Amino acid sequence: MNEIKLTQFSHGGGCGCKIAPGVLSKLLASMPAGIVPPDLLVGTDTADDAAVYRLNDRQAIVATTDFFTPIVDNPHDFGRIAATNALSDVYAMGATPIFALAVVGMPLDKLPPEVIGEILKGGADVCRDAGIPIAGGHSIDVLEPIYGLVGLGVVDPAKVKTNAGARDGDVLVLSKPLGIGILSAGLKKGLLSADGYAQMIRWTTTLNRAGALLADIDGVHAVTDVTGFGLAGHLLEMCRGSGLGAEVDFNALPVIEDAAALVREGIATGASTRNWASYGSDVVLPADAPEWQRKLMTDPQTSGGLLIACAPEALEAVQAAILTTQGAPGKVIGRMQAGSPVLTVA
């Protein structure tokens, strides 16, 4: 089992295998208008993290699905990362997960049952840590290994946190450091150190539990999680949904140490380039910014952190919620500001 390298079966791992945002926008634009019942509180309009459907005045169902190809070779770690990433969308809406369904696609002629079993066990271990069961799912025989979850949660309809409610002057907080895509590229090239791999696993398997606590903080106006479109892409979605611009202090960005070193050496994923091609026209970088800074801003994060827009007076409570759930308070990286939905990097 240890001789199997899962990444050899995938053309792009983790959230780096997502369809580029520009292409996805065109695909979604071709979809016919569907039924939008009044109790569908969050649908596809603002590219939010999950759908939200109101059941009654006190309860709403949050539903999402997320799955991808291997980002690491270890099957148990792959399962843990994929499950953590999928549940992140539930937490990003301010909800508490209640159960999950497994999404499984495996090349049965290439992977022995014990390897597939370890992937499933990794996902189950994360769900157990989140306090929920995997109550079912679906599996198929495919060419590349695919694993993920359908995640379902509950939230008070009055406390739903979307990516579209930010206000002028809000502080931007990022709960996890950047660099996961860069580390994954380093891993594929055999350049990732043991400590770098340990940091990669640490952050990609840290549940974004703080999201459920943010629902009870009045000054939290918008939340999203940073995944395949990179920090710049997901912040731009927040800008568009809120009708505001944003400014980020590049030097304030938290970055995993090994990723910072690798990206300066030119190590990055192809998804970073695709991301920039999709939305780079809406990002203003300093004229003398080196290319590696652009690659970091567009680096696809697998199981990335929460990006939170909150009133300055709510900052202490927000960082306390993050500290309580993951052992570090997150970092203030910028602010929302009036103007067109453009991201300015200072």
Side-chain angles (χ1 to χ4, degrees):
M1 182 173 68
N2 291 333
E3 296 178 358
I4 297 289
K5 290 186 176 296
L6 290 179
T7 55
Q8 71 180 305
F9 301 110
S10 58
H11 69 283
C15 287
C17 68
K18 289 177 70 171
I19 295 175
V23 176
L24 182 60
S25 295
K26 292 179 182 178
L27 293 175
L28 294 178
S30 67
M31 289 177 58
I35 298 171
V36 183
D39 285 320
L40 183 64
L41 304 183
V42 180
T44 61
D45 294 346
T46 58
D48 223 316
D49 298 299
V52 182
Y53 190 91
R54 179 173 50 209
L55 298 177
N56 52 55
D57 291 342
R58 298 298 303 277
Q59 294 176 309
I61 286 287
V62 174
T64 184
T65 184
D66 210 314
F67 51 88
F68 46 61
T69 54
I71 189 174
V72 294
D73 291 320
N74 182 281
H76 189 256
D77 285 344
F78 170 44
R80 292 169 65 209
I81 293 168
T84 306
N85 178 76
L87 294 180
S88 180
D89 286 339
V90 176
Y91 289 121
M93 307 304 294
T96 299
I98 52 174
F99 71 91
L101 306 174
V103 179
V104 184
M106 295 291 156
L108 298 180
D109 59 334
K110 298 182 179 69
L111 293 182
E114 58 267 27
V115 170
I116 299 173
E118 278 298 306
I119 295 171
L120 302 183
K121 183 176 182 296
D125 285 347
V126 164
C127 288
R128 187 179 301 110
D129 188 34
I132 64 170
I134 294 180
H138 186 65
S139 60
I140 58 173
D141 185 358
V142 291
L143 297 177
E144 291 184 278
I146 297 170
Y147 180 69
L149 300 176
V150 174
L152 294 107
V154 291
V155 66
D156 185 327
K159 297 180 178 181
V160 173
K161 302 299 181 184
T162 74
N163 66 358
R167 301 179 187 178
D168 182 17
D170 275 354
V171 175
L172 289 170
V173 180
L174 184 62
S175 70
K176 292 184 184 181
L178 302 171
I180 297 300
I182 295 162
L183 295 180
S184 71
L187 178 66
K188 274 204 164 187
K189 293 178 181 292
L191 300 174
L192 187 61
S193 69
D195 183 64
Y197 184 81
Q199 288 298 308
M200 181 181 179
I201 299 302
R202 173 196 172 185
W203 290 110
T204 55
T205 59
T206 296
L207 289 163
N208 282 324
R209 300 176 191 269
L213 301 180
L214 298 178
D216 292 320
I217 302 175
D218 291 337
V220 173
H221 298 139
V223 181
T224 190
D225 63 342
V226 180
T227 53
F229 299 157
L231 173 63
H234 290 286
L235 180 48
L236 281 169
E237 287 181 339
M238 185 179 286
C239 289
R240 295 177 190 125
S242 304
L244 297 170
E247 181 178 79
V248 164
D249 178 359
F250 186 85
N251 291 326
L253 295 178
V255 184
I256 298 171
E257 185 176 350
D258 279 44
L262 286 170
V263 75
R264 284 179 171 87
E265 297 172 5
I267 305 301
T269 70
S272 177
T273 301
R274 295 193 297 273
N275 283 341
W276 182 258
S278 296
Y279 57 66
S281 59
D282 291 328
V283 180
V284 180
L285 289 166
D288 59 349
E291 185 180 5
W292 67 264
Q293 292 189 3
R294 172 179 64 78
K295 289 182 176 179
L296 186 62
M297 292 291 298
T298 58
D299 184 48
Q301 303 306 291
T302 298
S303 192
L306 297 177
L307 178 64
I308 304 147
C310 69
E313 57 269 24
L315 177 60
E316 183 177 350
V318 167
Q319 291 191 303
I322 299 170
L323 177 63
T324 298
T325 54
Q326 69 177 43
K331 289 287 293 291
V332 175
I333 64 167
R335 65 187 180 91
M336 301 298 292
Q337 58 190 15
S340 57
V342 170
L343 168 58
T344 302
V345 183

